[in-house]
Amino acid sequence: MKIRDARTYYLNEASAQGWSVRTLERNINTFYYQRLLSSDNKPGKLGKSQQLKQSPEDFIKDPFIFEFLNIQQSTAVNESEIEAALIENLQQFLLELGKGFTFAGRQFRIGTETEHFYVDLVFYNYLLKCFVLIDLKTCKLTHQHVGQMDMYRRMFEDLKKPEGDNPTIGIILCTEKSETVVKYSVINDNPRLFATKYMRYLPTEEELIAEVEREKVKLNLFNSDKEVD
């Protein structure tokens, strides 16, 4: 990654999205650009994001940083508490999610005549022209989490998606990813299904750089395996 590319990205996005000085400083300090790059193999692409058609990968970071929740790293919290804290800090959460997101609902009900299910958080992205479902987990990613989100996404497609919209996106936010689960689950075959890590605290610069580099190495290995297959 070139420093020039990062600078171009921040200049373009600050102008296009109307970032305040505080937001710009926060995004630079949390390696916003680098976290976007670590979630997909797209070096150099984001620097020209205004000229390209948006894709779901352009909005997924790894990891997401939720330091604005002001929850101590050592504090034990459950999923409903994380969910409530994100809603209480909705403006900051939307800024961290990225451009184009609007809030649609919390514990959003979808169901049939016989059963009902509840999605933790639902957003609509007017740039991608689709709904985005988010499921919060306070543990390591499992295949059960993937299966649950896959079902939610399929149900939303069948029961809620307006005609003409793009396919619904499902994002599982977990405290730790499992590369095995990612590689051998439906995530591997579905470009609208994602699993990504979130951190409740602002790591040091060294910790964040190391985290981003780890994700880039995993991504490169994952892409190499796919090419071999």
Side-chain angles (χ1 to χ4, degrees):
M1 184 207 70
K2 298 179 180 178
I3 295 178
R4 181 177 64 254
D5 293 336
R7 184 184 297 113
T8 299
Y9 173 80
Y10 288 124
L11 287 172
N12 288 341
E13 292 302 298
S15 175
Q17 304 306 316
W19 287 350
S20 65
V21 173
R22 182 176 181 180
T23 298
L24 176 60
E25 290 179 344
R26 186 264 180 188
N27 289 342
I28 292 173
N29 291 335
T30 60
F31 290 76
Y32 193 99
Y33 174 77
Q34 291 89 336
R35 289 186 285 126
L36 279 170
L37 286 181
S38 72
S39 67
D40 188 46
N41 191 18
K42 50 192 172 193
K45 177 179 176 180
L46 292 174
K48 303 177 181 178
S49 61
Q50 300 304 313
Q51 305 171 20
L52 295 169
K53 183 178 179 180
Q54 300 293 340
S55 65
E57 291 81 4
D58 294 331
F59 295 80
I60 306 299
K61 303 177 189 69
D62 209 336
F64 280 91
I65 304 295
F66 297 152
E67 89 290 348
F68 51 83
L69 300 182
N70 296 317
I71 299 175
Q72 295 290 333
Q73 182 181 359
S74 57
T75 303
V77 291
N78 58 37
E79 291 160 9
S80 62
E81 289 171 324
I82 294 289
E83 179 185 314
L86 288 171
I87 295 301
E88 288 175 5
N89 296 273
L90 186 58
Q91 182 177 4
Q92 293 93 328
F93 185 29
L94 288 170
L95 288 171
E96 173 65 2
L97 284 176
K99 54 193 175 184
F101 282 90
T102 57
F103 180 60
R106 174 187 180 188
Q107 290 299 307
F108 197 103
R109 190 176 79 169
I110 51 175
T112 63
E113 294 179 353
T114 57
E115 287 190 81
H116 296 289
F117 302 90
Y118 297 85
V119 183
D120 289 343
L121 299 167
V122 176
F123 295 84
Y124 188 84
N125 190 291
Y126 61 83
L127 295 175
L128 296 173
K129 291 183 172 55
C130 69
F131 280 98
V132 179
L133 315 182
I134 293 181
D135 203 15
L136 292 166
K137 301 299 177 186
T138 56
C139 57
K140 186 175 182 178
L141 179 72
T142 69
H143 67 278
Q144 289 94 338
H145 299 155
V146 177
Q148 181 183 52
M149 176 52 80
D150 185 47
M151 183 186 72
Y152 288 166
R153 204 193 69 82
R154 291 172 185 267
M155 291 183 70
F156 215 90
E157 285 283 286
D158 187 43
L159 302 171
K160 298 292 184 181
K161 189 189 81 170
E163 184 177 354
D165 266 17
N166 288 321
T168 303
I169 295 171
I171 303 174
I172 307 164
L173 289 179
C174 50
T175 55
E176 184 180 353
K177 284 171 60 178
S178 167
E179 298 309 315
T180 299
V181 172
V182 170
K183 181 176 180 178
Y184 293 105
S185 70
V186 293
I187 291 178
N188 189 20
D189 303 314
N190 192 331
R192 312 293 287 191
L193 193 59
F194 299 89
T196 185
K197 180 177 178 178
Y198 70 90
M199 304 174 77
R200 294 188 283 126
Y201 64 97
L202 182 63
T204 65
E205 181 175 337
E206 292 76 14
E207 289 174 333
L208 196 46
I209 291 174
E211 185 71 35
V212 169
E213 289 302 317
R214 277 195 296 271
E215 291 304 321
K216 287 169 64 176
V217 169
K218 291 176 183 177
L219 179 65
N220 290 335
L221 290 173
F222 182 67
N223 288 336
S224 296
D225 288 343
K226 291 184 72 174
E227 289 175 4
V228 170
D229 294 341

